[in-house]
Amino acid sequence: MTFGFASSSAASLSTSASAASASRLLEPAEWAAAGIPLLRNPREVVSGLHARHHPRPSMAVVAVLDPEERLCASASFIRRPEAADGWMFRNALLAQLRRVIPHDLRRRTPVRTAVLLYCREGEARWTEEDGAWMWGLRDACTLHGLRCGAYITLTGDGWQVLGEGRGGRRPNAHSEPEAFAMSQAPPLPPRTGGPVSEVLRRAAAR
């Protein structure tokens, strides 16, 4: 009896884990219904990130844009060779965001938007791996106080903003980066307040 109960519990836990893992992805219809803001000039964003980070297959580029679509910060990293999982992608994206830009959790409504460019092999159509990246991006944005923006794939066929139907042939996963100046937001003002700031203020007044 004990052996049978243990086996049943293990099977139940395995099923629950599989269901939880499967839910950590977004289908194209769910993504389209999430109200993701459209990029005004996706070609400029893609070309700018491509020139800045030189993405190759298995590389993800996360970028934060201000309301004028100027680049505030960006970071790139290589996807680990593990099964696609939205929770793991969320953690990887959140770690990069925390490294390059302060959070906006104190704001009532998000002002800045995070977009994700993922370079991979295969066709441009949606895959479960893309769905896991979408889930991860949306969750990471929530935890960092950002608006969830576009998810863009870069393959051998070119680039495509999934859920929007917009794309182009260049740049692509194998093209060489071209010189491109992406507009940047002005640097954030330094934080003030506290004893250190008072010391610096007095030193500057001398």
Side-chain angles (χ1 to χ4, degrees), residues 37-61:
L38 302 179
L39 288 170
R40 290 196 296 269
N41 194 336
R43 185 181 299 277
E44 178 179 332
V45 172
V46 173
S47 297
L49 294 179
H50 186 266
R52 178 178 290 266
H53 292 277
H54 308 179
R56 287 293 180 262
S58 296
M59 180 182 288
V61 180

Side-chain angles (χ1 to χ4, degrees), residues 14 29 77 99 146:
S14 177
F77 60 99
R99 185 173 63 85
L146 302 170

Side-chain angles (χ1 to χ4, degrees), residues 115-166:
V115 300
L116 178 61
L117 172 71
Y118 180 55
C119 184
R120 61 170 173 78
E121 300 286 4
E123 300 178 2
R125 63 182 179 82
W126 181 88
T127 66
E128 288 193 357
E129 181 184 24
D130 295 323
W133 278 116
M134 289 171 165
W135 190 95
L137 176 63
R138 186 185 66 176
D139 217 42
C141 287
T142 299
L143 294 174
H144 207 63
L146 302 170
R147 286 201 309 171
C148 180
Y151 172 69
I152 307 159
T153 56
L154 193 68
T155 65
D157 295 330
W159 59 272
Q160 180 176 345
V161 185
L162 291 191
E164 295 186 20
R166 293 189 290 176

